[in-house]
Short mmCIF file of all heavy atoms in Angstrom, two decimals:
data_model
loop_
_atom_site.label_atom_id
_atom_site.label_comp_id
_atom_site.label_asym_id
_atom_site.label_seq_id
_atom_site.Cartn_x
_atom_site.Cartn_y
_atom_site.Cartn_z
N LEU A 37 -3.51 25.95 -6.43
CA LEU A 37 -3.14 24.54 -6.42
C LEU A 37 -3.72 23.84 -7.64
O LEU A 37 -4.74 24.28 -8.19
CB LEU A 37 -3.70 23.88 -5.15
CG LEU A 37 -3.26 24.49 -3.81
CD1 LEU A 37 -4.04 23.85 -2.67
CD2 LEU A 37 -1.77 24.32 -3.62
N LEU A 40 -7.75 22.08 -7.73
CA LEU A 40 -8.56 22.74 -6.71
C LEU A 40 -8.66 24.24 -6.94
O LEU A 40 -9.72 24.84 -6.78
CB LEU A 40 -7.97 22.48 -5.32
CG LEU A 40 -8.70 23.14 -4.15
CD1 LEU A 40 -10.09 22.56 -4.00
CD2 LEU A 40 -7.90 22.96 -2.86
N GLY A 41 -7.56 24.87 -7.33
CA GLY A 41 -7.54 26.33 -7.43
C GLY A 41 -6.84 26.92 -6.23
O GLY A 41 -5.92 26.31 -5.66
N ASN A 42 -7.25 28.10 -5.77
CA ASN A 42 -6.61 28.75 -4.62
C ASN A 42 -6.79 27.92 -3.36
O ASN A 42 -7.80 27.26 -3.16
CB ASN A 42 -7.18 30.15 -4.41
CG ASN A 42 -6.90 31.07 -5.59
OD1 ASN A 42 -7.81 31.48 -6.29
ND2 ASN A 42 -5.63 31.38 -5.83
N TYR A 43 -5.80 28.01 -2.50
CA TYR A 43 -5.81 27.19 -1.28
C TYR A 43 -6.95 27.56 -0.35
O TYR A 43 -7.30 26.82 0.57
CB TYR A 43 -4.48 27.33 -0.55
CG TYR A 43 -4.14 28.73 -0.10
CD1 TYR A 43 -4.60 29.23 1.11
CD2 TYR A 43 -3.35 29.55 -0.90
CE1 TYR A 43 -4.29 30.51 1.52
CE2 TYR A 43 -3.05 30.84 -0.51
CZ TYR A 43 -3.51 31.31 0.70
OH TYR A 43 -3.22 32.59 1.09
N TYR A 44 -7.59 28.73 -0.57
CA TYR A 44 -8.71 29.13 0.29
C TYR A 44 -9.82 28.07 0.30
O TYR A 44 -10.50 27.87 1.31
CB TYR A 44 -9.32 30.45 -0.20
CG TYR A 44 -8.37 31.62 -0.18
CD1 TYR A 44 -7.90 32.16 -1.36
CD2 TYR A 44 -7.94 32.17 1.02
CE1 TYR A 44 -7.03 33.25 -1.36
CE2 TYR A 44 -7.06 33.25 1.04
CZ TYR A 44 -6.61 33.78 -0.15
OH TYR A 44 -5.75 34.84 -0.14
N TRP A 45 -10.00 27.39 -0.84
CA TRP A 45 -11.14 26.46 -0.95
C TRP A 45 -10.94 25.20 -0.12
O TRP A 45 -11.84 24.38 -0.01
CB TRP A 45 -11.38 26.10 -2.42
CG TRP A 45 -11.32 27.28 -3.35
CD1 TRP A 45 -10.60 27.39 -4.50
CD2 TRP A 45 -11.98 28.54 -3.19
NE1 TRP A 45 -10.76 28.62 -5.07
CE2 TRP A 45 -11.61 29.36 -4.28
CE3 TRP A 45 -12.84 29.07 -2.24
CZ2 TRP A 45 -12.08 30.66 -4.45
CZ3 TRP A 45 -13.31 30.38 -2.39
CH2 TRP A 45 -12.93 31.15 -3.48
N LEU A 46 -9.76 25.06 0.48
CA LEU A 46 -9.55 23.92 1.38
C LEU A 46 -10.34 24.11 2.68
O LEU A 46 -10.76 23.13 3.30
CB LEU A 46 -8.05 23.78 1.72
CG LEU A 46 -7.14 23.33 0.57
CD1 LEU A 46 -5.69 23.44 1.00
CD2 LEU A 46 -7.48 21.90 0.16
N THR A 47 -10.53 25.35 3.08
CA THR A 47 -11.20 25.62 4.36
C THR A 47 -12.40 26.55 4.23
O THR A 47 -13.16 26.71 5.19
CB THR A 47 -10.22 26.24 5.36
OG1 THR A 47 -9.66 27.44 4.80
CG2 THR A 47 -9.09 25.27 5.68
N ARG A 48 -12.58 27.15 3.05
CA ARG A 48 -13.67 28.13 2.90
C ARG A 48 -14.46 27.81 1.64
O ARG A 48 -14.03 27.06 0.78
CB ARG A 48 -13.09 29.55 2.86
CG ARG A 48 -12.31 29.86 4.12
CD ARG A 48 -11.47 31.12 4.00
NE ARG A 48 -12.25 32.34 4.16
CZ ARG A 48 -11.70 33.54 4.30
NH1 ARG A 48 -10.38 33.67 4.30
NH2 ARG A 48 -12.46 34.61 4.44
N SER A 49 -15.65 28.42 1.52
CA SER A 49 -16.53 28.14 0.39
C SER A 49 -16.61 29.35 -0.53
O SER A 49 -16.09 30.44 -0.23
CB SER A 49 -17.94 27.79 0.89
OG SER A 49 -18.61 28.95 1.36
N LEU A 50 -17.30 29.17 -1.65
CA LEU A 50 -17.48 30.27 -2.60
C LEU A 50 -18.27 31.43 -2.01
O LEU A 50 -18.18 32.56 -2.48
CB LEU A 50 -18.19 29.75 -3.86
CG LEU A 50 -17.39 28.78 -4.73
CD1 LEU A 50 -18.25 28.29 -5.89
CD2 LEU A 50 -16.12 29.42 -5.25
N ARG A 51 -19.05 31.16 -0.97
CA ARG A 51 -19.80 32.23 -0.31
C ARG A 51 -18.87 33.20 0.42
O ARG A 51 -19.29 34.30 0.81
CB ARG A 51 -20.80 31.63 0.68
CG ARG A 51 -21.91 30.83 0.02
CD ARG A 51 -22.77 30.12 1.06
NE ARG A 51 -23.55 31.07 1.85
CZ ARG A 51 -24.76 31.50 1.53
NH1 ARG A 51 -25.33 31.09 0.40
NH2 ARG A 51 -25.42 32.33 2.32
N ASP A 52 -17.60 32.81 0.60
CA ASP A 52 -16.64 33.66 1.29
C ASP A 52 -15.81 34.52 0.35
O ASP A 52 -14.85 35.16 0.78
CB ASP A 52 -15.69 32.80 2.14
CG ASP A 52 -16.41 32.02 3.22
OD1 ASP A 52 -17.30 32.60 3.85
OD2 ASP A 52 -16.08 30.84 3.43
N ILE A 53 -16.15 34.51 -0.93
CA ILE A 53 -15.33 35.22 -1.91
C ILE A 53 -15.16 36.69 -1.55
O ILE A 53 -14.05 37.24 -1.62
CB ILE A 53 -15.92 35.08 -3.33
CG1 ILE A 53 -15.47 33.75 -3.94
CG2 ILE A 53 -15.47 36.22 -4.23
CD1 ILE A 53 -15.92 33.53 -5.36
N SER A 55 -15.27 38.27 1.36
CA SER A 55 -14.37 38.50 2.50
C SER A 55 -12.92 38.19 2.12
O SER A 55 -11.99 38.87 2.57
CB SER A 55 -14.80 37.64 3.69
OG SER A 55 -14.76 36.25 3.38
N ILE A 56 -12.71 37.17 1.28
CA ILE A 56 -11.36 36.86 0.81
C ILE A 56 -10.78 38.03 0.02
O ILE A 56 -9.63 38.44 0.22
CB ILE A 56 -11.36 35.57 -0.05
CG1 ILE A 56 -11.69 34.35 0.82
CG2 ILE A 56 -10.03 35.39 -0.76
CD1 ILE A 56 -11.95 33.08 0.03
N GLU A 59 -9.71 40.87 2.14
CA GLU A 59 -8.47 40.57 2.86
C GLU A 59 -7.23 40.79 1.99
O GLU A 59 -6.19 41.23 2.48
CB GLU A 59 -8.50 39.12 3.35
CG GLU A 59 -9.53 38.84 4.44
CD GLU A 59 -9.69 37.35 4.70
OE1 GLU A 59 -8.87 36.56 4.17
OE2 GLU A 59 -10.64 36.96 5.41
N PHE A 221 -16.62 23.17 -9.57
CA PHE A 221 -15.20 22.86 -9.46
C PHE A 221 -14.79 21.79 -10.47
O PHE A 221 -13.66 21.74 -10.93
CB PHE A 221 -14.88 22.39 -8.04
CG PHE A 221 -14.73 23.52 -7.06
CD1 PHE A 221 -15.81 23.96 -6.33
CD2 PHE A 221 -13.51 24.15 -6.91
CE1 PHE A 221 -15.68 25.01 -5.44
CE2 PHE A 221 -13.36 25.20 -6.01
CZ PHE A 221 -14.46 25.64 -5.28
#
Side-chain angles (χ1 to χ4, degrees):
L37 302 173
L40 179 65
N42 296 113
Y43 61 86
Y44 298 110
W45 315 130
L46 291 171
T47 57
R48 302 167 78 169
S49 74
L50 292 176
R51 294 173 68 89
D52 297 319
I53 277 183
S55 61
I56 292 170
E59 292 169 10
F221 280 92

